[in-house]
Amino acid sequence: METEERIWSNCKRDLTCFTIISESTNKCLRLHVVASVRSLIVNDSTSAETISDVFETLSLCLKPGLQPSLNYTLKLLSDLAVHHPHLSHSIFDKVRSFACVCTEALEVLVMISDRDQSSNVSAASVFDEKLFFSLCFSSSASVRSWLLSNAKRFHVPWDVLVTVFLGFTKDPYPFVRRDALGCLVGLCNVADTKDPHLIEECYDRAVDLLSDANAFVRSMAVRAVAECGRILAVLDNEVANRDWLDAVFAQICSKARDMSVEVRTETFLALGQINVGSEDILLQTLSKKMTETMRERKIFRNLPPSNVAGVFLHGLEDEFSEVRISACISLGRLSINSVQFANGALDMLLAILNDDSMVVRLQSLGTMSHMATCHCLDVQERHMHMLLGALVDNNTLIRRSARNFLKKLKLRTIGIFKSAISGLLTNLEANPEDEDDIFSVIFHIGRSHANFASGFVNDTSLEVGPSCEGEMRLDQARVVAMLILAISASVSLKHSVNRISARMFSYAIPFLGRIAHAFRDASNQDNLLSYLCYHSKFVPLFTPVKEAEFAPSFTEESTTMNSDKGRINQEVTLMESSCYRESLFKNNLRDTTDPIPAQECRNKVDNMHEEAIYTVKLILRVAAENWPLIKSGFTEEARQTLRSCKEELATISTRSDESVGLLAFSSQYIGVLRLLTKVWEYFFPRLKYRGGGTRFLDCLLEKLDSKLRRLRCTFTGFSKDEEVQVLELILLSSVLRLCKVETCNLSVLKRLHSTISRVEILCGVPELSDFVSELRSRFLGSSLDDEASYHLIPFKNIIELFTLKQIVFSGEFKHIRAELDFLDEVSENALPFIPGLPVGIKFQITLYNVSAQDRLWLKMASEDQTQFVFLDASQVKATETVSKLTLTAPFYRTPKAASFSIRTCIGKECSTIDDAIQVYRGQGGPKHELAFLCKEKEVHLILKR
């Protein structure tokens, strides 16, 4: 009690001090006082007398004019209303008079009215027309902007709102004008308010603001013109519909040469959303020279035809990559309206494949892939030179995107087909690291163009056979590519098999594994071997079989590897080559009679460790460089790269404990990035999303949180930079959750607050990234219980500030993990139990790198219940890094059933993430979320007879 009185006495003096003194009062003092007062407010043990005194003092501190102290006071009053609801009415009355002064007062009113549904402070009684109009005439621009963002709270007729918002479009403050335009667009989209006269008035006002002095107002005006024009076109008759679309298109084209990059970018994105009614207008956008048709044409509303002349030429020649990217996107969207326009757009898209920006080149290839998918491309031989140039680009992502485009393309002539295959073979020679992807693309092209492929293979068959000196060239990648092309042609058209020599199939058998990887999307290795054996005229020594028994099932998905006949043929092939394999095996054997010196072993381990670290750093650098691709919407290409990175990690071998931890961390880290890429598609789709819906997104977000929790809690030895990068990923996951209104819950907000605080402690405020700094400015001092205010935060804009940095290893990683085995269970039989009585299960638990401070739990779950058993790590006998424990754990409440199963796993309590999140309280288990240290195992129990 004495401590409470002393704290409040000092706070009361300091509160009076920084309220009376001017704005220049020490900011650190204010923050210290606010933190001290808030600690008293949120502490349940603070006496009622002190709380009452706090309220009276804060009421006296409510003085207009001193903005910093007023904001802090309002924030403390908000906390007081949350933690002491009996004061809500009094606080509401005190704050209401400040509603027209600052937005913080309005947020307090919103919070109290949302929490208190009584008649005295209900939303309907507070946010009435009287308050609405008083806020309209507020001298504070931030208050007027708040009014625009929260207009739906007020019970005001739609036509009145339109009139008021139209007035706000002439506000002296540009951000108010921008918000007013955004509100007008939202009102125009309301289904039951389609008044053509009011919408046309909104359209005219948006056209006027296209000439505004501020760029972000003009950008919003472009969006408003496109949306209002689209609505008016739908409301009008068919003839006027076309005229309106032409007029809106021409109006937006007038901003394609705006001085602002933001406006030009928005202009081209808006053009792609308008289904222009006249083809001649579309074609004019590709040429600066006016056609005779356009010279004589009069566009609706007396807009000059020159507005549309060469618009996309200007966009693709713009000096800023953002504008060129948006122009590429719109070209792809508009191409579905006209074949002639699509052909002209193709020439322009191919021309910018030499662009300096990697992202622009990627977008160009992505747009052409979209056009190919929509079957609106007519590729000629003259186009192939520019396209094939992308196959030898220095950037891996560009080459992969170019190959993906070729895979989707319909090659109409044998000349184009030969050019495509020659380009891929050149790519193979210049970039042997792309071999797997190139082989896969060759297979898809050969299967789609079987007649061309079979003719090409026969014309070049001499490259596959032995040379004039008798030397075989089967080890060349080019030869393997030709074999893949031959096989792909044969599986598409049955008659093409007869046109391909049987020796092509026999040459392919020794390279089964190398070729099978290219066929991974169509068939498995067993089926492929059966197919090659049959068509190479290889007859097994057992019994003759028909073609149908050997022919594999080439489908779009990989089939199961259950072909017995394939395995028989593989055994025969291995028998014939057994002599060669035996000699090769013997030559590689080491004489085990000579022991290897201990120092040589240590040196070998050290070299393996250094090599592993170097390789891991290279792989993670590739993963980090993948982030611009993800942000640009090329998520499929990004996932392929990350999948390759994870496969490459699996090939690294090491014996060092530190390297093992590093590899485990890197593998889980790349797994997090792959999952994040899937989540990203839902929030920033490059094309129209075709995913699994909101429920699937919830599952992905839950899985992402689980993986991040495991990454955060199951490794030790983080350096500051490494921990910060993991924490920023946790912040990104939390913000992605907050983007979904229905998941904006208290636990997510608590995690966000605590993680921001941890990053701030590690880095210090000046060294925070833009992403964390913006989050800190938005959430600093915010109440955790005021969920309504978080819906107003532009989370997507904050997410776009996130940048994935390359993780640099400087710490010594140790992987906390566990192994779980059952001692009593026999593989053939299940454990016996008696329904209703506990059953004991004996476990053998091995723990790695677990400290005495770690709180470990054994989780046992059946269909009906979940049970936890605490594992006291401090009492476990351990060596330096490994500890073992034998435990008999009882499972209570066995069900009345003939049999059931229990899923078991070892988890580590993650109190470091957020001490306030207690998910298992009341269940006799952990108070915090668990990061699981091993794979889940299942024990089966059967009724005892």
Side-chain angles (χ1 to χ4, degrees), residues 306-319:
S306 58
N307 277 10
V308 301
V311 164
F312 282 108
L313 283 175
H314 288 288
L316 295 177
E317 293 172 357
D318 197 278
E319 60 179 319

Side-chain angles (χ1 to χ4, degrees), residues 1 34 57 71 159 184 270 294 343 348 453 569 623 801 931:
M1 188 67 182
V34 169
T57 305
N71 293 345
D159 54 344
L184 285 174
M294 286 299 297
N343 292 334
M348 300 175 70
N569 289 319
L801 294 176

Side-chain angles (χ1 to χ4, degrees), residues 623-634:
E625 291 173 351
N626 219 26
W627 183 250
L629 194 66
I630 298 173
K631 291 193 71 173
S632 301
F634 294 90

Side-chain angles (χ1 to χ4, degrees), residues 534 537-550 565 568-569:
Y534 178 79
K537 309 305 180 185
F538 171 74
V539 181
L541 301 178
F542 310 108
T543 57
V545 293
K546 300 179 181 179
E547 178 180 358
E549 295 175 330
F550 276 103
K565 295 181 178 64
I568 292 173
N569 289 319

